[in-house]
Amino acid sequence: MEKFFIIIIIFAGITPLAFGEVFIQNDQQYIGDDGAFHIVGEIKNNLEAPLNQINVHVTLLDENKQLIGIKETSSLVNIIMPGMKGPFDLILTNDEAKKTKSYSLKLDYKVSPPKNQVIDIIESELSRDNYNNLMITGTVTNKGDITANTVAVIATLYDKEGNVAAVSRIHPEPDYLRTEDNVFFVIAIPDKIQTSGINDYTLIAESEEYAAVPEFPVGT
């Protein structure tokens, strides 16, 4: 299958431009509560076909724009349907992270056969526990004709500027859904620095057989 490549050059603190119909947006870098270095963002699919095998190649640059190294991460959503988005999170804990001052991103993907969009999140709520950890709870349902296996729920949280602040992917228990069944899920985001200024969030769910419905919920 033909493979596509997009290159986006980004320097820290500068909003990226969109190139083509598949592009990276709302990305930024941060250091979390645990000292890990993150580069987060989301991939937007404006094609008329689904995407899979979506990888983000991150070139790390020092303060003099010299190459430190090249790392790779993947979309947390396996299939990005037309008009939808999938977040990513590159995590570094070594000396390369300490030297990184800016970065560039290269995106590659393959066009995927379509999936029925029947995995739906029917309710969600954002709250905090007794330790001030941010939590998203909700219910996901299977509106398809067969059992949905390996169900996953992916959360993308945004700061007040609209940039991706944190991302998380979980599997509810059980991680399969028979037709018209529901399952409750909990997504915990313990990083207090990144969640202190959360303004909005989105949720998307998928399974091996199915993709999410187009109108995934947005919370404030």
Side-chain angles (χ1 to χ4, degrees), residues 8 24 26 42 53 68 71 74 85 89 96 110 121 135 137 147-148 157 168 181 190 195 220:
I8 303 175
I24 294 171
N26 301 327
E42 55 189 356
Q53 299 184 42
I68 298 172
K71 303 297 179 180
S74 301
K85 297 177 290 186
D89 184 4
E96 293 174 324
K110 290 185 178 180
I121 296 170
M135 302 173 61
T137 57
T147 297
L157 295 91
S168 184
D181 273 359
T195 60
T220 300

Side-chain angles (χ1 to χ4, degrees), residues 30 38-42 76 86-91 154-158 164-169 187-189 194:
Y30 71 88
H38 297 253
I39 296 176
V40 293
E42 55 189 356
L76 296 183
F88 65 88
D89 184 4
L90 176 71
I91 304 174
I154 302 97
T156 306
L157 295 91
Y158 303 90
V164 175
V167 301
S168 184
R169 175 186 172 97
I187 301 175
I189 318 262
Q194 285 304 108

